[in-house]
Amino acid sequence: MRKITLLLIIALMSTPSWAASLEEHFPSLKVGSETYSKVTVTSVTATHLYFTHSRGMGTAKLMDLEPEMQQHFHFDSTKAAARLAEEAQGNALYTKTLREAPAPKRPAVANPTRQAPPDDPIPPHELYAKSFLNQPAPEISVEKWLSEPPDMQGKFVLIDFWATWCGPCRQSIPHLNELSAKFKDKLVVIGLSKEPEQKIRAMTSPKIDYTIASDTQGRTSHTVEIRGIPHTMLIDPTGIVRFEGMPHYLDEKGLEMLITKYSR
């Protein structure tokens, strides 16, 4: 794709698998009133523990563990409260947007260059980022591909800015999976997060079926001036942005319309 430059910063020294280095095994784990057996802990965040057990996969809040296990996993109630507040703020923003759609208070400011005809399936919506609509896409910087690098030649690219801690982002993943599968011959979906590889890979549910990438420096997010996630940008094969906003505004009908309209 002519207008998108992907900056790949590849480590020169190979390192052991992060998953292997993080695994801890326990015969049992008590979470509240539930006890799991044959537990393998795969990752720990400020608020949650991710693990497999005899019956499948599990997630637990550190605050629900017994005191000795909280101490073992370095649980910090202050850090946990700050992270939960961050998640709550993101969820509140998402809920507010859903409640006010499809008639935002400032549609002209939110989407200034979009002149939607009466039968347009994409409703007007507020934008929590700098607008690039119908303009050349900004440079998309990728620090590391966490899945097979995609072939974007001649295809539309849907960039999704997201984070594992963001509830609305996780809610959008099944929808993005569906778009990726339905339009696989014409579309590449890329989930781009500022989080480190370890944290992204630790999230096993919901499963992401499209391309995943990490940019811990947040270079593209800074350029786009993103103030709320999830935020998506649809870029046509010539490098022009044809949609921007939260992913739930772009359904199959709207995406098909844009692909048909802007295909070369």
Side-chain angles (χ1 to χ4, degrees):
M1 178 171 292
R2 201 171 58 221
K3 298 289 185 178
I4 300 180
T5 301
L6 296 172
L7 305 180
L8 304 179
I9 303 175
I10 307 298
L12 297 179
M13 297 180 60
S14 61
T15 57
S17 168
W18 68 267
S21 65
L22 286 177
E23 285 187 355
E24 286 193 73
H25 304 279
F26 300 91
S28 64
L29 178 69
K30 192 173 187 303
V31 182
S33 58
E34 184 81 18
T35 300
Y36 300 91
S37 60
K38 297 181 180 178
V39 172
T40 298
V41 174
T42 57
S43 182
V44 183
T45 68
T47 58
H48 287 78
L49 189 74
Y50 299 89
F51 59 93
T52 61
H53 55 89
S54 59
R55 304 192 304 274
M57 296 185 296
T59 304
K61 293 181 179 179
L62 293 181
M63 63 184 296
D64 293 335
L65 301 182
E66 296 184 310
E68 58 269 26
M69 294 304 288
Q70 289 181 344
Q71 184 175 3
H72 177 82
F73 291 112
H74 308 291
F75 174 61
D76 185 319
S77 59
T78 301
K79 290 182 179 179
R83 174 55 59 86
L84 290 173
E86 186 178 23
E87 293 179 9
Q89 184 179 15
N91 291 339
L93 177 61
Y94 183 77
T95 301
K96 174 179 179 291
T97 303
L98 285 178
R99 187 173 58 249
E100 295 179 353
K105 295 179 180 178
R106 300 180 300 278
V109 175
N111 218 339
T113 61
R114 194 174 202 283
Q115 301 298 323
D119 60 345
D120 196 326
I122 302 176
H125 51 273
E126 281 198 82
L127 192 67
Y128 298 94
K130 179 180 178 180
S131 179
F132 287 86
L133 193 65
N134 298 326
Q135 301 174 38
E139 183 179 86
I140 307 300
S141 301
V142 170
E143 181 177 312
K144 185 173 184 180
W145 293 110
L146 305 187
S147 55
E148 191 68 22
D151 178 10
M152 296 177 287
Q153 185 65 36
K155 293 187 177 183
F156 286 77
V157 176
L158 185 63
I159 303 290
D160 179 50
F161 298 90
W162 73 293
T164 60
W165 54 262
C166 167
C169 299
R170 294 169 74 130
Q171 292 173 25
S172 298
I173 290 172
H175 172 59
L176 293 172
N177 282 339
E178 291 175 1
L179 295 182
S180 178
K182 183 174 178 63
F183 299 94
K184 62 182 179 181
D185 295 331
K186 299 180 179 180
L187 176 73
V188 170
V189 179
I190 301 175
L192 183 61
S193 175
K194 294 192 295 183
E195 297 172 295
E197 177 182 1
Q198 171 185 328
K199 185 168 291 186
I200 297 171
R201 291 195 186 278
M203 193 198 79
T204 57
S205 179
K207 183 176 180 294
I208 297 177
D209 295 329
Y210 45 87
T211 303
I212 315 171
S214 173
D215 178 35
T216 57
Q217 298 180 54
R219 290 164 292 183
T220 310
S221 295
H222 179 73
T223 300
V224 183
E225 300 177 16
I226 294 176
R227 305 188 306 278
I229 54 174
H231 177 75
T232 52
M233 297 176 63
L234 178 68
I235 306 169
D236 74 15
T238 67
I240 304 299
V241 175
R242 299 304 183 183
F243 169 85
E244 55 190 6
M246 291 186 176
H248 68 274
Y249 286 113
L250 187 64
D251 60 13
E252 289 186 7
K253 184 178 180 181
L255 179 55
E256 186 169 20
M257 178 202 72
L258 292 173
I259 289 177
T260 300
K261 183 176 181 178
Y262 295 109
S263 289
R264 290 189 294 181

